Amino acid sequence: MLTTLSILKADVGSIGGHVTPGKRLLDTISRHVAKGLDELLSDYFVGATGDDIAILMVHPRGVGDEEIHRLAWEAFKEGTALAHAQGLYGAGQDLLVDAFSGNVKGMGPAVAEMEFEERPNEPFLMFMADKTEPGAYNLPLYLAFADPMNTAGLLLSPEITKGFRFTVMDVGYVQGDRIIELTTPEGLYDLAALLRDNDRFVVEAIHSRHDGEQAAVVSTTRLHNIAGKYTGKDDPVMLVRVQKNFPATGEILAPYAIAHYVGGFMRGSHIGPLMPVTRSTGCSYFDGPPIVSCLGFCVKNGKLTEATDLFAHPFWDTVRTRAAEKAIEIRRQGFSGPAMLPYSELEYGGIVHILKRLEARFHVRPAAHPAEAVLA
Ligand code: F6R
Ligand code: MG
Ligand code: MG
């Protein structure tokens, strides 16, 4: 049967700063989504990472379905009302428009959806990241789907040795979805050349070249592009189908042991290591560090199993310690050089105002030697 998995994710308010949404807010959103059971949904799951809430919905209606999007939008609206009543910080932050108009894309919440024919057993992973951007998944996806140093299956498994097709979006382009498709292994260097720039070129989807099936989908739109002004990093969600004709769960997870540096962190304006965390983890140090959670599920005839928390395994404690050390290390240099993002990626405009104000005070010193003046 054809099944669609849709994740819609938004920050509609949190406790203690941009930290965590709280149980009442999660319950309110969950209760609203439950109203769609039977008529629209076969199953759903509501989870949180950092200050964001993600609604995972299972249904047969395909991607971009208006009623599915409306259900999530209204759940977030109801959550926003509670957030205002509770005095939560940033209530309704990611709902950028007042009225729903057919599809939440462009309205604030992040969206990642895929439709597929259920395999006889269908394991998949749901990733949620906070205090970072969609390009944070570039490196882990590249390693998991294209590098045999990470993914032994690229050498050992006949289903995946044919490689994968990556759809990459230029998120710097604002007039529409500017995308390119690259196939691996032959397009490996081209892919690496693009994925170098996490803030510009972002993996949106990955398909198997063995059977054409979709393996992964990432929420690739950026809040500051669709909103016309920078309202925050997009705190991306991702779905990845695993095993058999796709990389194994462990191959998808292995790259997160790097705790690679990504954009985001305090005020969406810094570089920090991506720390793999357990479900419902909030933010703390320097409003971060950037975090990612991963829940594993199986789906059968549209029904989900319970979630298994993949970064709860003791192995990841060592990675978390290393990530904390990397975070402290880069924070030691404060605003200097690569610790802070370039102007184009700063979430706050204050520094631009400072520069504008100082512009008038700059002057060009007269050249000491006439020759210097000639050269100039
Ligand atoms: C980053 C984030 C936080 C806030 C910071 C300032 O994405 O959510 O780091 O940017 O806490 O928040 P405001 O400006 O709301 O006081
Ligand atoms: Mg937030
Ligand atoms: Mg967030």
Side-chain angles (χ1 to χ4, degrees):
M1 77 179 250
L2 273 179
T3 294
T4 309
L5 298 178
S6 301
I7 311 187
L8 284 87
K9 183 241 63 159
D11 172 357
V12 293
S14 42
I15 300 174
H18 293 274
V19 177
T20 189
K23 190 170 171 344
R24 273 186 69 191
L25 183 50
L26 282 163
D27 287 347
T28 300
I29 287 181
S30 201
R31 268 198 304 274
H32 187 93
V33 178
K35 292 181 193 164
L37 276 176
D38 301 331
E39 203 186 312
L40 291 174
L41 309 177
S42 51
D43 211 347
Y44 76 97
F45 173 89
V46 176
T49 291
D51 56 9
D52 298 292
I53 296 178
I55 307 171
L56 168 67
M57 290 172 286
V58 192
H59 59 93
R61 302 173 65 93
V63 303
D65 181 79
E66 177 164 350
E67 294 313 314
I68 296 294
H69 283 221
R70 185 193 308 279
L71 180 65
W73 177 264
E74 283 171 359
F76 286 133
K77 274 282 191 203
E78 209 162 309
T80 297
L82 175 81
H84 279 296
Q86 276 195 299
L88 296 193
Y89 191 67
Q93 178 190 283
D94 283 355
L95 306 188
L96 302 177
V97 296
D98 291 330
F100 177 76
S101 59
N103 187 309
V104 302
K105 269 201 173 165
M107 297 170 73
V111 186
E113 299 179 283
M114 65 172 146
E115 185 186 39
F116 51 84
E117 188 74 45
E118 275 185 18
R119 297 173 287 175
N121 35 65
E122 184 62 65
F124 72 92
L125 311 178
M126 167 181 173
F127 287 85
M128 289 182 69
D130 190 34
K131 307 295 184 254
T132 189
E133 60 192 356
Y137 295 124
N138 278 359
L139 180 65
L141 288 173
Y142 171 88
L143 294 172
F145 284 89
D147 186 352
M149 290 288 282
N150 178 86
T151 296
L154 292 168
L155 307 178
L156 300 176
S157 156
E159 283 92 357
I160 69 174
T161 46
K162 278 197 188 141
F164 292 90
R165 171 164 54 88
F166 286 70
T167 307
V168 176
M169 187 187 285
D170 173 0
V171 296
Y173 186 81
V174 292
Q175 269 91 37
D177 291 348
R178 186 165 185 262
I179 57 162
I180 186 171
E181 295 192 342
L182 294 171
T183 48
T184 55
E186 67 273 19
L188 210 59
Y189 296 171
D190 291 345
L191 185 64
L194 293 183
L195 299 192
R196 204 185 67 88
D197 288 318
N198 287 343
D199 60 343
R200 174 81 193 271
F201 300 108
V202 181
V203 177
E204 178 194 58
I206 301 175
H207 290 78
S208 159
R209 293 176 77 185
H210 168 69
D211 55 12
E213 281 290 299
Q214 184 161 6
V217 63
V218 183
S219 60
T220 42
T221 48
R222 301 204 308 176
L223 273 181
H224 66 301
N225 284 347
I226 53 184
K229 75 179 178 63
Y230 211 146
T231 43
K233 287 278 176 285
D234 297 341
D235 304 339
V237 287
M238 172 167 77
L239 290 167
V240 186
R241 295 166 72 199
V242 290
Q243 307 288 158
K244 205 66 188 163
N245 44 342
F246 306 123
T249 303
E251 289 166 338
I252 299 291
L253 297 180
Y256 295 89
I258 299 170
H260 64 301
Y261 286 112
V262 295
F265 220 165
M266 172 59 75
R267 297 177 187 275
S269 305
H270 293 81
I271 296 284
L274 187 64
M275 178 187 276
V277 294
T278 57
R279 71 194 274 186
S280 306
T281 298
C283 289
S284 180
Y285 172 67
F286 204 55
D287 283 358
I291 53 176
V292 61
S293 67
C294 177
L295 299 180
F297 296 87
C298 282
V299 60
K300 181 89 179 174
N301 299 327
K303 290 283 179 201
L304 293 170
T305 58
E306 69 201 85
T308 176
D309 189 346
L310 286 153
F311 291 139
H313 189 279
F315 170 84
W316 299 98
D317 293 340
T318 302
V319 176
R320 282 189 270 276
T321 302
R322 280 193 50 239
E325 282 160 3
K326 287 179 73 166
I328 292 167
E329 199 48 48
I330 195 160
R331 286 311 315 136
R332 281 161 63 88
Q333 68 178 70
F335 59 79
S336 178
M340 215 168 173
L341 290 172
Y343 294 134
S344 57
E345 284 298 307
L346 296 181
E347 192 172 307
Y348 285 66
I351 207 160
V352 178
H353 298 146
I354 296 177
L355 288 181
K356 259 200 192 128
R357 187 162 47 73
L358 296 183
E359 192 58 31
R361 291 178 51 194
F362 270 97
H363 59 273
V364 180
R365 184 187 295 137
H369 303 291
E372 240 180 66
V374 171
L375 274 178

